[in-house]
Amino acid sequence: MTTSNETSLKSLLGLGAYAAIYAQARLAKDGDQAPRPWEHIDMARMSGTAWETFETIEKTAQKVGLDLVDAIQPYEGILDEIDARLRPTTWWERLTKTYVAMGIFTDAMKELALAVGEAEFAGGIDDFGHGEWARARLEPVVAEDEQLEARLSLWTRRVGGEALSLVRAFLFTNPEILGEDTDTDALMDRLSNAHKQRLSAIHLHP
């Protein structure tokens, strides 16, 4: 008989593994579009860190006797729509898209892990250093360019809206991944507030 905790752990490992694979590919793709060689190198390193995270999850799955491929399957492709709907046309749009979306999805993963009592799993979730790296590049540039600030504020408003809507829809269609006492509205409020703080850190307006 499978317990609710086992079901939650399977869901977390599957979702976490899928997210790590997605991040690895996204960061590598961003690196290919980076305007400077050192940025390409930095992004490649972050992509490698994402892959290491997948390998860590894979080892955990093996320890608990979980078929990770089977656990990933329900979540395969859930982030494809946001890529199809939001295609960046400049490096700054690409950088802020990943900054916003990865920040929201990372926060959401932490919230889900904590909601089902997996604090150790939550502690291992991060954005592979991308958030800090992106802020260091975006903050001074946006602060000095009002036109860029206006364009990126509109762009990140779209990205944030799409990402938050995707998370809400996911929670609605996958209620088994949430703890029984989880307040979904409160969870979404926390994600939204964290998103606004991320934008404020680079002088953009939600």
Side-chain angles (χ1 to χ4, degrees):
M1 180 177 179
T2 302
T3 67
S4 59
N5 284 344
E6 289 172 340
T7 300
S8 296
L9 181 59
K10 176 182 177 180
S11 297
L12 281 173
L13 290 174
L15 185 58
Y18 167 69
I21 293 170
Y22 175 86
Q24 185 270 327
R26 166 54 49 198
L27 292 166
K29 188 174 182 179
D30 285 359
D32 285 342
Q33 300 298 318
R36 301 174 184 85
W38 62 266
E39 290 173 322
H40 192 166
I41 292 168
D42 284 351
M43 301 294 278
R45 286 199 177 105
M46 285 184 268
S47 178
T49 301
W51 181 249
E52 290 171 2
T53 296
F54 170 80
E55 291 181 319
T56 298
I57 293 173
E58 188 176 38
K59 290 177 182 177
T60 301
Q62 290 170 350
K63 287 180 182 178
V64 299
L66 175 67
D67 183 333
L68 191 57
V69 174
D70 181 61
I72 291 173
Q73 190 170 1
Y75 312 114
E76 187 71 32
I78 60 173
L79 299 178
D80 290 349
E81 186 176 347
I82 196 169
D83 281 339
R85 291 166 66 95
L86 297 167
R87 296 188 181 278
T89 59
T90 68
W91 166 247
W92 297 118
E93 286 184 359
R94 178 175 294 278
L95 183 56
T96 50
K97 176 186 172 181
T98 301
Y99 173 70
V100 168
M102 189 173 293
I104 289 173
F105 296 145
T106 298
D107 288 346
M109 280 295 301
K110 284 181 176 288
E111 288 278 358
L112 291 175
L114 292 172
V116 297
E118 293 289 344
E120 183 177 353
F121 188 89
I125 296 170
D126 60 31
D127 65 359
F128 318 111
H130 183 271
E132 183 178 352
W133 187 89
R135 279 192 297 274
R137 280 136 194 86
L138 286 162
E139 191 275 334
V141 174
V142 175
E144 294 181 0
D145 190 332
E146 291 184 1
Q147 289 186 337
L148 181 64
E149 177 190 350
R151 289 200 303 271
L152 291 182
S153 287
L154 288 173
W155 170 247
T156 52
R157 207 169 294 151
R158 284 185 59 202
V159 175
E162 292 280 355
L164 289 168
S165 294
L166 181 61
V167 172
R168 184 177 285 279
F170 175 81
L171 296 179
F172 179 78
T173 56
N174 297 272
E176 75 282 352
I177 204 169
L178 285 171
E180 295 180 0
D181 299 324
T182 302
D183 185 331
T184 303
D185 288 335
L187 187 157
M188 291 303 304
D189 284 343
R190 290 193 293 274
L191 295 183
S192 181
N193 288 335
H195 164 60
K196 291 175 183 176
Q197 291 174 9
R198 265 188 297 275
L199 292 188
S200 295
I202 55 173
H203 307 293
L204 297 182
H205 307 288

